[in-house]
Amino acid sequence: MPVTIQQIGKPTDGQTIGQWVKEVTIRVAETALREEVGKGFDNQPVVVTDGMPRRHYDQVKPFGRIEFIRRPQMAEAVLWALDMLRKRSPVRTGRYAQSHVVLLNKVEISGDLRAALQSVKETDRVQIVNPQPYAKKIEGRRSRSKGRGAAKTKTAAVPGLSRQAPRGVYERVVLPMLVQRYGRSMFFDFKYVKLDTGVKVKGWQGGGGARKRILRDHVYPSLHFFIKPTGLPN
């Protein structure tokens, strides 16, 4: 449960009372955090001030709200996402559902995932990727904007390869679920990434008369996980 401080006192003398309430709110928040940390609460929680994650609590408005949210462990978020990816995967042979892998600094983690992710630092790069050559086709494509100003148009979404997952699995399905569940304390991103698989595909390079077809590295769908700063002083 988060530690929450909200609306202490009532205004009776305009800005002076407002400033007094702000100072009291900050003192009470600091005291409450120290007490909760003594009981085992996260000693570097994410600060949410007036609804804004990572805004320092000394910027709280008079009669505002301060929350201290326990940081989810990287292992918790990654393992939850991995489970969702497997559950939302289309199943024909089962190969795709079993191929989601976790990378730490571009190296696949083997063995105990939870143990390997326990000591992840803010600078570490954590990804889940599916290296199957048809994984990109399973994603399809969400609608996109083209052009600028009055000429701006929106392209239609492209369904994924499988009827079991017409909106794909990574970008349009599991990524929003991650943001909803952990978005106040972690960052997430979807990207197509290159892997050292040696698979090449034909693609276009350049524009106009110089546009030509070339062979280039195949790319694969991936989710990226980042730890948000706590918003607390070091």
Side-chain angles (χ1 to χ4, degrees):
M1 295 292 291
V3 178
T4 304
I5 312 298
Q6 182 178 20
Q7 295 185 353
I8 298 176
K10 295 182 179 180
T12 58
D13 191 21
Q15 186 176 1
T16 301
I17 292 299
Q19 184 62 32
W20 175 81
V21 171
K22 174 180 177 177
E23 293 173 359
V24 171
T25 300
I26 291 172
R27 289 201 302 271
V28 171
E30 291 174 336
T31 300
L33 179 59
R34 283 195 296 269
E35 291 176 352
E36 292 302 317
V37 168
K39 298 175 184 177
F41 188 72
D42 191 348
N43 64 355
Q44 287 190 317
V46 176
V47 180
V48 181
T49 301
D50 296 326
M52 292 294 294
R54 304 177 317 285
R55 175 180 287 173
H56 197 281
Y57 59 78
D58 63 8
Q59 298 179 44
V60 67
K61 295 177 181 178
F63 312 104
R65 178 185 178 98
I66 299 171
E67 293 178 84
F68 298 113
I69 300 175
R70 184 187 300 274
R71 292 168 298 169
Q73 295 295 318
M74 177 66 77
E76 173 191 341
V78 171
L79 291 174
W80 185 87
L82 191 60
D83 184 51
M84 290 299 105
L85 288 168
R86 288 167 177 163
K87 288 179 178 178
R88 298 301 178 115
S89 293
V91 178
R92 188 174 180 181
T93 65
R95 187 180 299 114
Y96 175 83
Q98 296 168 7
S99 295
H100 305 290
V101 296
V102 180
L103 308 181
L104 176 58
N105 299 323
K106 298 186 178 181
V107 178
E108 182 179 349
I109 299 175
S110 58
D112 190 336
L113 284 174
R114 184 177 295 277
L117 294 170
Q118 288 293 349
S119 57
V120 167
K121 303 182 293 295
E122 292 184 12
T123 54
D124 286 330
R125 183 178 180 183
V126 180
Q127 302 166 273
I128 302 179
V129 62
N130 194 301
Q132 288 299 330
Y134 50 83
K136 187 174 187 292
K137 291 184 178 180
I138 285 179
E139 283 302 297
R141 188 177 68 233
R142 62 180 175 81
S143 59
R144 297 175 180 173
S145 296
K146 289 179 62 177
R148 296 180 180 178
K152 190 173 183 180
T153 59
K154 202 166 188 179
T155 62
V158 176
L161 178 67
S162 173
R163 291 182 180 178
Q164 296 178 36
R167 298 177 62 246
V169 178
Y170 277 68
E171 182 179 19
R172 289 179 283 175
V173 177
V174 175
L175 176 61
M177 295 167 66
L178 268 172
V179 172
Q180 182 177 15
R181 188 178 180 92
Y182 297 110
R184 292 211 296 176
S185 50
M186 295 186 72
F187 287 117
F188 307 99
D189 195 13
F190 168 84
K191 292 181 181 180
Y192 285 107
V193 297
K194 297 178 183 178
L195 298 175
D196 188 19
T197 61
V199 177
K200 301 283 186 179
V201 294
K202 288 184 177 180
W204 290 103
Q205 183 183 63
R211 195 175 187 218
K212 61 181 180 180
R213 295 274 281 181
I214 63 168
L215 277 177
R216 60 188 181 192
D217 291 328
H218 192 36
V219 292
Y220 305 84
S222 68
L223 292 176
H224 298 235
F225 298 74
F226 306 92
I227 300 173
K228 285 184 177 180
T230 64
L232 288 170
N234 293 327

